Amino acid sequence: MTVLVRPKALNDHKVRTFQMLIDGKWVDSADGRTIERVAPGHGVVVSRYQAASGVDAERAIAAARRAFDDGPWPRMTASERSLVLLRAADMIAARADELAFLDAIESGKPISQAKGELGGAADIWRYAAALARDLHGESYNTLGDGTLGVVLREAIGVISIITPWNFPFLIVSQKLPFALAAGCTTVVKPSEMTSASTLVLGEILQAAGVPAGVVNIVTGTGPEVGAPMTTHGDVDMISFTGSTGVGRLTMANAAQTLKKVSLELGGKNPQIVFPDANLDEFIDAAVFGAYFNAGECCNAGSRLILHRDIADEVTARIAALSAKVKVGDPLDPETQVGAIITPQHLEKIAGYVSAASKDGAAVAHGGETLDLGMGQFMAPTILSQVRPDMAVAREEVFGPVLSVLTFETTDEAIRIANSIDYGLSAGVWSRDFDTCMTIGRRVRAGTVWMNTFMDGASELPFGGYRQSGLGRELGRHAVEDYTETKTLNMHIGARTGWWMPR
C-alpha cells in the first residue's frame, strides 16, 4: 500500500514571467511568444517564459562570440575569474530556498531533494573556482639545446550548453562553472519545462560580476533553439545532457562544422547483489536508487541483478520498504517521490509496466498510476521475473520502476550487466573485496559503486561508456574539457643545416 501525500493547492503562488538574458540585457523573444509551465504536482500554471526562435539563438551566439573575441573574460587572470565564481557560489547558497522551490514546482521533484541538490551545486561552483587557478600547460626542456617546447591550454571559445528537465540547476552547475573557469563564453538553453532556476542563475552571475555576453540564456524548444545552437559556425563546442536519441541528433548536427561535443546521455544501471552482501544496507539503497527523483534520473538503479539464492527474500523486503515510501505533494518536506514530469511521460512509464506484465513479468509492488486530485503520479513499482531480453530490462523507462533479474555465477551477472547499449553506472554488493573488484573491472560503466549507490562528489568524474555518452564532467580535469592545446615549438640560438641550398 503506497503512502500518499495529497498535494495542496498553490493558492498563494504568483505566476512569474521571465525574460531571456542576451548580451547582458533581459529581453523578450523576437516574436513575442511565450511558454507557460504547468506544475506536474499541482496542475496549475506556475511560470511563464519567452519562446525563443532561431533569431534569438543567433543573437545570443553573436553576443557570446563578441564577448570571447573582444571581451575581457578570456583575458582575465585565473584568480579574477575564480573570485567571480566564488561570489556566484555564495549567492547560490544565499538563494538556495528560492531556487529549490522553483525546481520543485516545475519538475515535480520533492522540495527536500531539491534543497539537497542546491547544496551540491554550490559546492561544484566552488570546486570549479579552485580549478580555474590550477589550469596549466606543459614545458619540455628535453628536446636538445636548440629547442624549447611549450604546450598551452587555451579556452576553446563559445560553448552551447543544453540541459534537461530532471535536474535543472544541478546539471547546469556541472557544466557552466567549468566553462567559465576556462575562460569560455556560453549560450545556455535549459529545458522549456524547467527554465526558472537557470534564469535566476543569470541574475546571480550578473551580480557576481560576469561581463555582458559571457553567459547568455535562451528559453524555448529544441527544434527552434537547440538546433541552431548545435549547427551554428560560431559555436566551438556543445555540452549536452539529455536522452540518447537527442544526443545522436546533437552529434550529427555538430558534425556539420566538426565541433567538439560532450554528451551525458541515458542509463540502465545495474546493481549486482551477492548472498554475502549486507542486505539491510542494500535494500535501503535499492529503494533509494530506484525511486530517487521518481526514477527520472539517468543514474537510477533500475536493474537489480540478484543472486538466485536470495532473490525471493530480497524482492519481498524491497517491496515491504517500498510500501512505506511517501508519494505525492512535491512541496511537502515528508514527500520522497514527487510528480511525473508530464501526463505523456506518465503514460509512457505505465506502458512499460503493462508490456512487461504481458510478457511474463510479475508486479511485486505498485504498478499503477495514482490520482491524487491534481498533477500526475506513479506508484513505486517492482517487476520480478524479468528476463534480460524484455524491453523493461533494456530500455530507459525513466520512472519509479525497478526490474529484478537473477543470476547464478559471477560471469553470468557480468554478462547480464553488459548486455545492453548503456554504460553509465553500476553497483556491486558483497563483503568480498575480490568480488567487488572483479565486477568493478569487468562491468563497462563510467562509475561503479561498491556497497553504496548514487554517491558522488565534485572531485569524481561522471560520464558513461557506449550510448551513455562521450566525455566526463566534474573531477580535476573538468576545466580542461573546455580548452584546446597549442604547441609552441621555439628555436634557441642560430640555426644551421636547412635542406635548401644557399
Side-chain angles (χ1 to χ4, degrees):
M1 185 75 179
T2 302
V3 181
L4 303 180
V5 183
R6 297 189 179 276
K8 299 176 182 177
L10 296 176
N11 294 325
D12 57 348
H13 176 72
K14 183 178 180 181
V15 177
R16 183 170 174 180
T17 299
F18 292 89
Q19 293 179 296
M20 299 182 295
L21 180 60
I22 298 178
D23 204 13
K25 300 180 179 63
W26 292 96
V27 298
D28 294 336
S29 62
D31 56 14
R33 293 179 300 130
T34 59
I35 297 170
E36 289 188 335
R37 177 57 181 152
V38 175
H42 298 87
V44 296
V45 174
V46 288
S47 307
R48 188 174 294 112
Y49 319 119
Q50 304 304 310
S53 65
V55 172
D56 300 300
E58 290 187 2
R59 290 166 56 202
I61 292 167
R65 187 78 261 167
R66 288 191 301 271
F68 185 79
D69 292 343
D70 304 318
W73 187 254
R75 294 154 191 88
M76 287 181 177
T77 66
S79 62
E80 289 171 328
R81 287 198 295 269
S82 178
L83 285 173
V84 173
L85 298 181
L86 288 171
R87 285 197 293 269
D90 289 343
M91 295 179 190
I92 289 168
R95 298 180 70 172
D97 286 349
E98 173 192 1
L99 292 163
F101 174 80
L102 292 171
D103 276 1
I105 61 172
E106 291 194 333
S107 72
K109 69 173 70 252
I111 186 68
S112 56
Q113 178 191 316
K115 289 181 178 180
E117 291 169 18
L118 262 295
D123 182 72
I124 294 172
W125 281 83
R126 294 189 175 102
Y127 182 62
L131 290 183
R133 302 186 67 164
D134 188 53
L135 186 64
H136 58 82
E138 306 162 4
S139 63
Y140 293 87
N141 193 35
T142 57
L143 307 177
D145 290 342
T147 304
L148 176 65
V150 175
V151 180
L152 305 180
R153 281 201 173 272
E154 297 183 340
I156 196 170
V158 175
I159 316 295
S160 285
I161 294 176
I162 302 174
T163 59
W165 47 261
N166 55 336
F167 294 92
F169 199 89
L170 184 62
I171 289 179
V172 75
S173 297
Q174 293 178 182
K175 302 174 182 290
L176 180 57
F178 299 102
L180 296 178
C184 296
T185 60
T186 61
V187 180
V188 181
K189 192 199 91 65
S191 167
E192 66 272 21
M193 292 185 283
T194 55
S195 297
S197 63
T198 301
L199 292 164
V200 172
L201 176 60
E203 298 174 3
I204 289 171
L205 294 176
Q206 283 187 308
V210 173
V214 173
V215 176
N216 305 275
I217 304 172
V218 289
T219 51
T221 66
E224 289 194 90
V225 183
M229 287 175 62
T230 59
T231 57
H232 200 288
D234 281 342
V235 172
D236 299 295
M237 176 179 170
I238 303 163
S239 180
F240 170 85
T241 295
S243 71
T244 295
V246 179
R248 292 192 195 100
L249 178 61
T250 299
M251 195 170 181
N253 286 348
Q256 299 176 33
T257 49
L258 294 179
K259 304 181 193 306
K260 186 175 183 180
V261 178
S262 174
L263 302 173
E264 197 277 283
L265 307 176
K268 190 68 178 176
N269 312 292
Q271 295 202 62
I272 301 172
V273 188
F274 289 84
D276 67 338
N278 184 324
L279 294 182
D280 291 337
E281 292 185 2
F282 163 69
I283 287 162
D284 182 69
V287 172
F288 168 72
Y291 308 141
F292 176 73
N293 208 56
E296 296 170 325
C297 176
C298 58
N299 245 358
S302 55
R303 283 193 300 160
L304 293 190
I305 304 176
L306 307 179
H307 193 279
R308 200 175 303 279
D309 290 349
I310 59 171
D312 291 344
E313 173 198 350
V314 168
T315 302
R317 290 181 62 182
I318 293 173
L321 186 57
S322 298
K324 300 178 181 179
V325 171
K326 297 178 180 178
V327 181
D329 190 351
L331 297 181
D332 191 309
E334 297 298 315
T335 295
Q336 295 165 296
V337 174
I340 302 302
I341 189 72
T342 63
Q344 295 79 13
H345 190 57
L346 177 64
E347 183 178 353
K348 175 185 173 184
I349 296 168
Y352 270 106
V353 174
S354 176
S357 298
K358 292 177 182 176
D359 203 19
V363 178
H365 180 78
E368 70 275 5
T369 61
L370 302 173
D371 183 0
L372 303 186
M374 59 181 78
Q376 57 269 347
F377 301 86
M378 181 78 190
T381 297
I382 302 169
L383 296 173
S384 62
Q385 302 176 36
V386 174
R387 300 188 310 274
D389 63 322
M390 291 182 179
V392 76
R394 305 187 65 82
E395 299 174 11
E396 192 174 35
V397 177
F398 228 59
V401 177
L402 184 60
S403 297
V404 178
L405 302 93
T406 61
F407 72 96
E408 291 186 353
T409 67
T410 299
D411 285 345
E412 183 185 8
I414 293 168
R415 186 168 58 252
I416 293 171
N418 289 337
S419 66
I420 61 169
D421 294 331
Y422 297 109
L424 187 57
S425 63
V428 54
W429 293 81
S430 172
R431 288 185 170 93
D432 185 82
F433 178 78
D434 289 349
T435 297
C436 288
M437 287 303 299
T438 297
I439 298 296
R441 286 181 166 182
R442 293 178 59 190
V443 169
R444 293 182 55 78
T447 298
V448 180
W449 287 288
M450 299 180 181
N451 296 312
T452 186
F453 198 76
M454 221 183 290
D455 279 346
S458 301
E459 292 84 353
L460 299 177
F462 176 71
Y465 285 34
R466 294 180 289 185
Q467 294 192 33
S468 286
L470 299 171
R472 296 292 183 269
E473 296 180 337
L474 304 176
R476 63 185 299 268
H477 300 295
V479 174
E480 294 179 2
D481 201 36
Y482 296 96
T483 66
E484 292 276 22
T485 56
K486 177 186 288 184
T487 297
L488 303 182
N489 190 328
M490 296 176 281
H491 179 66
I492 302 170
R495 178 158 189 165
T496 59
W498 291 94
W499 66 275
M500 286 293 289
R502 296 181 183 272

